[in-house]
Structure formats: structure tokens, C-alpha cells
């Protein structure tokens, strides 16, 4: 993914414009007196670009009134979160009387230990303030525990009506999205041809209110084009902008554009693009290969697999409808199509279908290295990951991928549409994840230089599937669009590598530390270095290139920065296993902490914000996955892993860009709460 145009002044330091850090913390103390409980703010947890806190810890906040045993409706948590954020807005960075308005994702997430997470979107005049989407953590009784994520000051004098017609803005944005481009991936490069947008675009829906979205026809792109107004915080100013999204080449290329819409444009008929980002994740991604043709035999596996085949621990309580059938029987046939996954041949758009006997028995038995086998294998891999993450509480209510949600929670109608293409595809492998209720699309293709197919490699399919999980859990169910800043996108790659490796390493005596080695036919895989205990990069290297680092290391690229995050998570997993004297328990605790941490993580996080979410999730596992006596050693193990990679207690970054990352190796002081 590439930031093609970004006219924000990311070097802007608002904190120096409004107050020094000491005065900022004094304001937090004043607000604490007004709300009659403790607020804890740290100067290191300020986004200097916005001048606002990215984390406000809360102690002693009042609980909501007692509820009956059947629990508390989401609406109560949402109302409490919005009310509370308004009451402490000045502690976060808003000036007195400055608007601090938020809309909530209607679905409240819950971690495996019961912490409720309300996802908010900052708005003004009903218009989204782009990229400013904090989360409020609440205990089950409704007491606020923490406010995390980015907010920004937006003055009341910003325009509410566009001076630029949406058609004029769309013309400019579409021309940029239609440009020919070279798409780089670990497998090589692909060329996207230019598209002809000269015919223009017609409105399909119109705005009843200025803040409402509209849509335009797709023209030469894959899908209709959504458009809406947003406020873009630029640093030293705030601009009203038109927001557009484009998809092309079967979703392999996706773009987001923000085009000026206010009266500051020099020419309303030819406005400028303020921000243009390539959203595409160009990464590596019956009888089946359970890993890949080099590391597993081509054998029968039951569809679905028994839960005992998974590395996660048995569920403490049953989940309705789980584990469900992977296939659906129709007129004596089953196909690579079920509630979780629809897998088809990318050329024919057909699934693999077989006959079953009267009792419903049948076997997908394709020949290796055939289109039918690729489709069957991608179907197996995607269903495996669906069930794996179900056991870690990525369920229907949290936005998982299913056609029908038997609990009635979540939106359903969004299985993974997995395409196994007979030849190469753009980026070789990719996955697009829209909001809950819209199907995710995965594309797997042939690696030209090796002649091997990504649908046969668990590294690739698992990696891509995890992109869907992280986009939904961090982004929220409303738009699954929470990993857009550079550090955030890098972590998307790191989380994906982490699960691709650890889900397999659990069962292996020898730890596997390279990704994609089979599919590219190279022992080195597709990353700069193996993810072993000698991995060289760290937080302080972010933003530095070969001229500043030894041995050709380069941390100016998204995938490479993601390596630092994956290496830290793998080290954390090893250390937790050592602290518990059990590799298996270490993996299980780490996985649950990472998934719960994703739910707690606000949109567009830094590595340090995501670190803190994992540490808090670990704390909540004390008394369950780990005993109270074991917890101090587990916590220390996690902190030591992050410190090993420069993400210690004294690490700092001014925002979620790749600029200004300062490594720290200290552990937290005695008595510090995560």
C-alpha cells in the first residue's frame, strides 16, 4: 500500500501552539476534580500532530445502575461512552467550549473477559472528522476504564456547505485512480493499465442532507463509487473535502481520495487532491494440502475439522451454531460453498461440486495442481481460519464472515468470496474487507517466477484472512476502515504474518520463522530477515532506509515496518511460554491477548497504542487464562518483548506516521498499571 498524495503537514506540532506538556497535564487534573474521580494522563501519550491525548486512563468512575441477569443493552454502554467523553473532553485536548461531538458504531464489542468497547467517530455538523475515531473501554458494570485513540480540535468556523460540486471533485479523483501504475509485491511487479474515465459518472443517489453520503455509477471501475463530505485535519488548518473510494481489477487495486470541497480552492471546477492512498494489500497472500505441498501430504481432511484439530483451547461454553457445516447439501450435491466461504475458480466463477450419497457422504477428490484442487484448498484454508478465530471470540457479534448468523447478532450476508485464479493476479494475492454485512473478497493467483499457486500455501491464505479480522476488529463493524495511517497499515501486515506462522508453529517442535518460502521457492521467504530471536529491526529504525541502516535493511516501506511488529509479537509469545513453562499455554495466552487487544485498539493506531491494548488484554486474562500468581511474570515477559524491539515504556512517537519514532527499552516503573 502506498501513500501517493498527502498534503497534511505531519510535521506540525500543535502541542507547542497551545500549551506545553506540563500545562496539558494540569488541565487533566482540573477536569478530574470536576468529574470526582481519577484521570491519569502521560505526556508520552500525546499525538503531537493533533495536540490531543491518545490515552486517558480512568480510575473510580461510577458504574451504571444495576441490571437484571440478562445483561445490559448496547445502547446503555454507547450512551455512557458518549456522555463520558463529552465530560472529559478538555482533559483530552479540546479547548473550553470547543465542539467535541461523536457518533457511535451501533455494535458494542466485548473482549473475552467482558470488557465492553464502544467505537466512536468524531463528527461536526453531522460530518465525519476523518481519521479521528477513539474507543471507550467500559467494564461490564458500565464504569469507564479508558479512552484511547485520536481526536482533533475543529473550530466552529469550518464550512458546512461545499463550494466544489461532487462531480468536479470526482472527475479529479477518478483521473488519479485511473492512472497506469506499477504494483509491487513480494513476488515481483504487475502493471495496471490506464482506464478511460472520459465518459464521466452519473449520480445514483442524492443527498437529502449535506452530511449524508451519495453514490455514483462505477464507470470503468469495479464497483459503484461512494462519496461523502469529511473534515480533514491538516495540522495547521481543517479542510472540508469530498471523500471517494475506487476499486479496480477485481478488487486487487483500491484507492481512497480526499478532494478539497471548501471555498479555499483556487478553482472549484478543478479542485486539488488533498490525500490519495492506495489501500490495496499486495501481499502473499476433501483432499488438501494442510500447509503446502512441501510440508504436508495431499490427504483427506474432514469438512469441517473437529475442534480438537485446532491449537486453541476448548471453549468454556458452547457457541450457538458452532462448529457449523462448511458445506450445504442441495439436491444430492455439495460444493465449495457454505455459510463461511464461497470458493470458486477465478476464470469460470464456478465452485467445485461433488455428488453425495443418501446419507450425505462425499469426498472432494481433485487431482493436484488443477483448478479444482486450488479451489478446494482455498476453501479449506479459509474455513479453517474462520473456525480458529471463532474459538478466540471473533464471532458473529464481532463481525466475522458468515452468510447467516444463527445468533441474530451482526449483519450476516458476508462470507469470504475466495477466488482461485488460474494465472497471476495483481499483487499475486489480496483480500478486500468491507464493513460487516458486505462480503469480503480474496484473490489467490499463480506466482509467475516459481509457477506455484498461493491457494496451496497456508502462509498466503492465512495472512490474507487475518487482514479481514484486523480490519473488522480495529476498524469497527460500521466501516472496517481503521488501518489507514502508515504505522497502522504496517501492523496489519505484522498481525497477518504473526498468525500465519504461530498457528502452524504450535504443533511443530522446530519454530518456523520465514513466510512464503514455499510459494516463491526460496529458503529466505519474502521478508527481509527471519522472525527469529536475532531479528535486527526495532521501533527506532522506523522511517530509516538503507543509507541509515546496516545490511540493506529498509524500514521506509509498510511491509518491512510490519516485520518489526510481527517479530515483537513472536518474541512476546516465546517469552510468555517460558514464563508459564509451557509453549502451548504461551501461544494460547498470546493469541487471546492479541485478539482482545484488537478489539480495544482504536482506529489508525501507533505501534505503542496497540502494545498498550495487548498489555491491558493480558491483565484481563489474569484469573482465567493465567492465574493471579502467574500474571506478574507474564506481564513482565510481554513488556520485555516490546522493550527488546524498542517499544519499552519510554518509547515515543508523535503520531501514526513513520516520522519521529523514538526507541525506548525501559520497563514500566513499579506500581504502574497497564
Amino acid at each position: 500500500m502506498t501513500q501517493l498524495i498527502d498534503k497534511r503537514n505531519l510535521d506540525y506540532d500543535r502541542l507547542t501552539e497551545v500549551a506545553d506538556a506540563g500545562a496539558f497535564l494540569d488541565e487533566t487534573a482540573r477536569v478530574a476534580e470536576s468529574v470526582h474521580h481519577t484521570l491519569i494522563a502521560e505526556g508520552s501519550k500525546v499525538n503531537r500532530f493533533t495536540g490531543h491525548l491518545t490515552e486517558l486512563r480512568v480510575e473510580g468512575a461510577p458504574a451504571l445502575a444495576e441490571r437484571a441477569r440478562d445483561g445490559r443493552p448496547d445502547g446503555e454502554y454507547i450512551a455512557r461512552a458518549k456522555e463520558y467523553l463529552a465530560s472529559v473532553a478538555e482533559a483530552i485536548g479540546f479547548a473550553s467550549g470547543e465542539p467535541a461531538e461523536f457518533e457511535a458504531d451501533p455494535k458494542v464489542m466485548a473482549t473475552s473477559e467482558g470488557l465492553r468497547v464502544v467505537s466512536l467517530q468524531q463528527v461536526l455538523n453531522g460530518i465525519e472528522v476523518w481519521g479521528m475515531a477513539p474507543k471507550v473501554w467500559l467494564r461490564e458494570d458500565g464504569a469507564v476504564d479508558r479512552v484511547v485513540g485520536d481526536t482533533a480540535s475543529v473550530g466552529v468556523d469550518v464550512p458546512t456547505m461545499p463550494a466544489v460540486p461532487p462531480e468536479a471533485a470526482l472527475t479529479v479523483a477518478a483521473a488519479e485512480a485511473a492512472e497506469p501504475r506499477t504494483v509491487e509485491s513480494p513476488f515481483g511487479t504487475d502493471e495496471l493499465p490506464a482506464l478511460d474515465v472520459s465518459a464521466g459518472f452519473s449520480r445514483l443517489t442524492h443527498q437529502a442532507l449535506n452530511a449524508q453520503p451519495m453514490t455514483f455509477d462505477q464507470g470503468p471501475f469495479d464497483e459503484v463509487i461512494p462519496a461523502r463530505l469529511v473534515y480533514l485535519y491538516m495540522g495547521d488548518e481543517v479542510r472540508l473535502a469530498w471523500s471517494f473510494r475506487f476499486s479496480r481489477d477485481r478488487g486487487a487495486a483500491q484507492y481512497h481520495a480526499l478532494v478539497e470541497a471548501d471555498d479555499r480552492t483556487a478553482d472549484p471546477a478543478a479542485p486539488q487532491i488533498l490525500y490519495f492512498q492506495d489501500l490495496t494489500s499486495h501481499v502473499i497472500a476433501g483432499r488438501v494440502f494442510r500447509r503446502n505441498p512441501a510440508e504436508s501430504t495431499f490427504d483427506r481432511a474432514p469438512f469441517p475439522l473437529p475442534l480438537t484439530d485446532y491449537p486453541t483451547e476448548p471453549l468454556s461454553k458452547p457457541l450457538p451454531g458452532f462448529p457449523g457445516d462448511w458445506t450445504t447439501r442441495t439436491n444430492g450435491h455439495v460444493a465449495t460453498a457454505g455459510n463461511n466461504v464461497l470458493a470458486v475458480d477465478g476464470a469460470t466463477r464456478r465452485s467445485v461440486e461433488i455428488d453425495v450419497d443418501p446419507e450425505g457422504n462425499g469426498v472432494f477428490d481433485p487431482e493436484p495442481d488443477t483448478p479444482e484442487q486450488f479451489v478446494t484448498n482455498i476453501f479449506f484454508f479459509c474455513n479453517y481460519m474462520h473456525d480458529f478465530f471463532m474459538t478466540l471470540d471473533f464471532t458473529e457479534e464481532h463481525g466475522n464472515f458468515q452468510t447467516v448468523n444463527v445468533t441474530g447478532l451482526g449483519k450476516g450476508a458476508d462470507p469470504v468470496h475466495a477466488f482461485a485464479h488460474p494465472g497471476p493476479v495483481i499483487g499475486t494475492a489480496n483480500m478486500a474487507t468491507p464493513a460487516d454485512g458486505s462480503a469480503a473478497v480474496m484473490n489467490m493467483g499463480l506466482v509467475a517466477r516459481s509457477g506455484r499457486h498461493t491457494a496451496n500455501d497456508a502462509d498466503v491464505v492465512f495472512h490474507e484472512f487475518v487482514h479481514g479480522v484486523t480490519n473488522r476488529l480495529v476498524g469497527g463493524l460500521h466501516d472496517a476502515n481503521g488501518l489507514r495511517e502508515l504505522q497502522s497499515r504496517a501492523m496489519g501486515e505484522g498481525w497477518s504474518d504473526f498468525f500465519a506462522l504461530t498457528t502452524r508453529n504450535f504443533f511443530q517442535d522446530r519454530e518456523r520463522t520465514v513466510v512464503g518460502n514455499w510459494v516463491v521457492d526460496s529458503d529466505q521467504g519474502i521478508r527481509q530477515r527471519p522472525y527469529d530471536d536475532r531479528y535486527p529491526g526495532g521501533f527506532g529504525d522506523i522511517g530509516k532506509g538503507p543509507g541509515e541502516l546496516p545490511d540493506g535493511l529498509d524500514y521506509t516501506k509498510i511491509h518491512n515496518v510490519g516485520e518489526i511488529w510481527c517479530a515483537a509479537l513472536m518474541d512476546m509469545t516465546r517469552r510468555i511460554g517460558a514464563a508459564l513453562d509451557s509453549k502451548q499455554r504461551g501461544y494460547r495466552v498470546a493469541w487471546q491477548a492479541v485478539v482482545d487487544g484488537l478489539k480495544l485498539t482504536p482506529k489508525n493506531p501507533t505501534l505503542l497504542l496497540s502494545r498498550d491494548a495487548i498489555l491491558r488484554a493480558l491483565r484481563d486474562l489474569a484469573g482465567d487464562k493465567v492465574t493471579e500468581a502467574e500474571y506478574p511474570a507474564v506481564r513482565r515477559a510481554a513488556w520485555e518483548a516490546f522493550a527488546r524491539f524498542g517499544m519499552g515504556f519510554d518509547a515515543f512517537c508523535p503520531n501514526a506516521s513513520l516520522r519521529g519514532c523514538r526507541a525506548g527499552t525501559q520497563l514500566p516503573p513499579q506500581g504502574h498499571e497497564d
Side-chain angles (χ1 to χ4, degrees), residues 301-382:
F303 287 17
L305 289 173
L307 291 184
T308 53
D309 278 19
Y310 290 87
T312 46
E313 61 186 339
L315 296 172
S316 58
K317 57 183 179 181
L319 293 171
F322 176 73
D325 289 335
W326 288 0
T327 59
T328 302
R329 182 180 174 186
T330 306
N331 298 325
H333 307 281
V334 294
T336 53
N339 198 45
N340 314 324
V341 182
L342 169 62
V344 300
D345 184 312
T348 65
R349 296 298 196 267
R350 293 180 179 177
S351 57
V352 176
E353 187 175 283
I354 61 170
D355 295 329
V356 295
D357 65 22
E359 285 74 41
N361 302 309
V363 177
F364 291 92
D365 195 16
E367 290 297 319
D369 288 322
T370 62
E372 293 78 14
Q373 186 262 310
F374 298 149
V375 171
T376 304
N377 234 87
I378 198 174
F379 182 73
F380 170 81
F381 282 149
C382 288

Side-chain angles (χ1 to χ4, degrees), residues 531-542:
Y531 289 122
D532 55 24
D533 56 9
R534 298 185 301 276
Y535 185 85
F539 188 69
D541 298 324
I542 292 175

Side-chain angles (χ1 to χ4, degrees), residues 18 26 47 50 88 95 104 176 195 204 219 274 276 368 405 443 451 472 476 509 511 540-541 545 577 618 651:
V18 295
D26 289 343
N47 182 331
T50 65
V88 298
E176 184 69 29
L195 298 179
L204 300 179
L274 300 175
F276 190 89
N405 292 352
N443 291 292
R472 286 270 172 96
D509 293 333
E511 185 183 47
D541 298 324
L618 272 177

Side-chain angles (χ1 to χ4, degrees), residues 10 18 188 243 346 379 410 422 594:
L10 290 170
V18 295
S243 169
F379 182 73
V594 170

